[in-house]
């Protein structure tokens, strides 16, 4: 197959490295695909923006207003990114640990995992966020009497509460992944003489995580949007900054409210898109014949 | 000299009494074939031998070492006993070469260069040197089973256990696996083979066990078992399977 020259020159910039026992060598192709996908997605988004701006220049709406709220929304966008950067890794770590715990032989660990899932999956995230906020605020006010410290810590506790909620879902994803590995694989590992830990890290988990990746991507996409719940305790995130613009907009012109929400929607979309494509990239990088998720 | 000695082995799964007192000796270099109806406990016997399943009662000795004793690590035992499964059980996420290397690197602690050359040698032995970079899903059943044999052989086992190694294969691939096993027997490997391949049992086995309802019904040379079975149940089974 003839490759376009621009594709080849793009490839030259993508690092080539090998993944150890768990992976495959054609990282370069996958990385290229990832970059192209993200570029394509962002390109489409840019086209969307272009269209919107064009409509503005035709005076379908107030372009000046759309521009004027962007810097503020940008600030909120950065806050949302910061939240996502905490909630996704933390939720994944929790999901991994408890998912593993739920598949061990230990009754205590399994019970712990089950209790965690039931509690944090069974309560609405908004309730969890409020609870954690109130409890930390009260606790810290009792100790230090400094409301500013209390406020800061309580804000982050809200983010942790959301991680716990997401972690409960990820626990079940990881558990399903581990259980999907056939017992024959573990018997084979045993028969070669691998220890229980070696079997876990060299045989079970490498297969389990490949199976878990697509639903994990789903969960990441979902929790990105759930970060918008954190503004109820005072996070000035993307959604909140938007909300704060609404009353003034309503007073001036009802149509301005649409502009606010369209801009918010686009920014959330960009974030979700990049994260899900990144998951897809990892998925492709570790794809192995016989274990692949269906190619979309 | 006795390689494997099994004494008074019992195993139950819940209320199902699968092994009901098995006594068995296998000499070094011997090929023992175990035949019998399905559900008779043949697989359980093999799995107890390398402690994939712990027996409830009875003892197993490997070269005189009591491996069922508490002081012996099961990993140490399994490392010395190779096992080949009906469903191959190759590690799906690893290439043929990596499948063979895994135990060498992680269990035998060989450095990766030495492990690689050893693994390549073992794949060569089963005639699959050119398939070393293929993933299991890219191999035929027969090829997968040969990789599985190479994986077991790479650990330099004292005994090889085969649990119906050709039962899951398409007919056209059976001979290539049996050929490898025959060569192994000629090289003097001690083997315990659960099989329905009566031709193989006749040709290669030093002795044959007819196993039924968790017990050894009869043990003898291939001629004794196939041509003049001493027991009614053996007679019935052999006549059915040789028809």
């Amino acid at each position: 197959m003839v490759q376009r020259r621009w594709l080849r020159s793009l490839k030259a910039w993508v690092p080539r490295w090998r993944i150890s026992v768990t992976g495959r060598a054609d990282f370069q192709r996958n990385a290229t695909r990832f970059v192209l996908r993200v570029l394509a997605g962002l390109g489409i988004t840019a086209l969307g923006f272009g269209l919107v701006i064009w409509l503005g220049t035709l005076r379908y709406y107030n372009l000046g207003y759309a521009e004027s709220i962007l810097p503020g929304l940008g600030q909120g966008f950065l806050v949302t990114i910061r939240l996502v950067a905490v909630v996704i890794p933390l939720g994944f770590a929790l999901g991994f640990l408890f998912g593993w715990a739920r598949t061990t032989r230990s009754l205590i660990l399994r019970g712990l995992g089950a209790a965690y899932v039931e509690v944090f999956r069974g309560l609405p995230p908004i309730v969890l966020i409020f609870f954690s906020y109130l409890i930390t605020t009260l606790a810290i006010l009792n100790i230090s009497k400094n409301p500013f410290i209390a406020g800061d810590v309580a804000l982050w506790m809200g983010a942790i509460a959301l991680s716990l909620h997401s972690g409960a879902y990820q626990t079940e994803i990881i558990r399903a992944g581990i259980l999907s590995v056939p017992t024959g694989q573990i018997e084979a590992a045993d028969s070669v003489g691998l220890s229980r830990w070696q079997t876990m890290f060299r045989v079970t988990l490498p297969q389990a995580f490949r199976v878990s990746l697509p639903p994990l991507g789903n969960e990441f996409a979902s929790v990105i949007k759930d970060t918008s719940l954190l503004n109820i305790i005072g996070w000035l995130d993307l959604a909140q900054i938007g909300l704060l613009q609404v009353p003034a907009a309503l007073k001036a012109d009802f149509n301005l409210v649409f502009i606010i929400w369209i801009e918010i929607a686009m920014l959330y979309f960009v974030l979700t898109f990049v994260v899900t494509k990144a998951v897809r990239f990892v998925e492709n990088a570790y794809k192995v014949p016989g274990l692949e998720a269906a190619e979309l | 000299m006795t390689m494997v000695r099994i004494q008074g082995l019992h195993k139950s799964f819940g209320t199902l009494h699968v092994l009901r007192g098995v006594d068995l000796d296998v000499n070094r270099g011997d090929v023992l074939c175990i035949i019998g109806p399905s559900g008779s406990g043949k697989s359980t016997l093999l799995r107890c031998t390398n402690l994939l399943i712990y027996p409830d009662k009875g003892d197993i000795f490997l070269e005189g070492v009591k491996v069922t004793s508490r002081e012996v690590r099961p990993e140490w035992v399994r490392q010395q006993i190779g096992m080949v499964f009906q469903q191959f059980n190759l590690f799906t996420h690893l290439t043929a070469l990596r499948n063979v290397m895994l135990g060498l690197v992680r269990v035998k602690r060989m450095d990766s260069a030495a492990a690689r050359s050893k693994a390549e040698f073992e794949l060569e032995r089963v005639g699959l040197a050119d398939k070393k970079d293929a993933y299991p899903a890219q191999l035929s059943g027969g090829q997968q089973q040969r990789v599985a044999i190479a994986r077991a052989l790479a650990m330099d086992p004292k005994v090889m256990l085969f649990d119906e190694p050709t039962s899951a294969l398409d007919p056209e691939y059976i001979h290539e696996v049996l050929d490898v096993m025959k060569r192994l027997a000629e090289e003097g490997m001690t083997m315990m083979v659960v099989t329905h391949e009566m031709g193989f049992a006749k040709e290669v086995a030093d002795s044959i066990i007819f196993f039924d309802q968790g017990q050894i019904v009869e043990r003898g040379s291939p001629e004794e078992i196939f041509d003049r079975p001493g027991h009614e149940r053996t007679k019935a089974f052999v006549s059915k399977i040789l028809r």
Side-chain angles (χ1 to χ4, degrees), chain A residues 137-150:
Chain A
T137 314
L138 286 178
I140 293 177
L141 281 181
N142 275 334
I143 301 165
S144 78
K145 314 276 184 218
N146 182 341
F148 293 103
I149 295 179

Side-chain angles (χ1 to χ4, degrees), chain A residues 103-127:
Chain A
T103 58
T104 56
R105 284 188 218 169
S106 155
L107 211 65
I108 298 167
L109 285 176
R110 272 183 3 224
L112 215 66
Y116 167 71
V117 169
E118 294 311 335
V119 170
F120 287 95
R121 196 180 54 181
L123 294 174
I126 204 161
V127 173

Side-chain angles (χ1 to χ4, degrees), chain B residues 181-201:
Chain B
M181 290 167 65
K182 268 178 218 168
R183 198 139 32 84
L184 211 53
E186 283 158 17
E187 287 166 14
M189 176 62 75
T190 312
M191 293 161 62
M192 289 169 69
V193 186
V194 170
T195 186
H196 294 300
E197 291 296 324
M198 295 304 145
F200 173 84

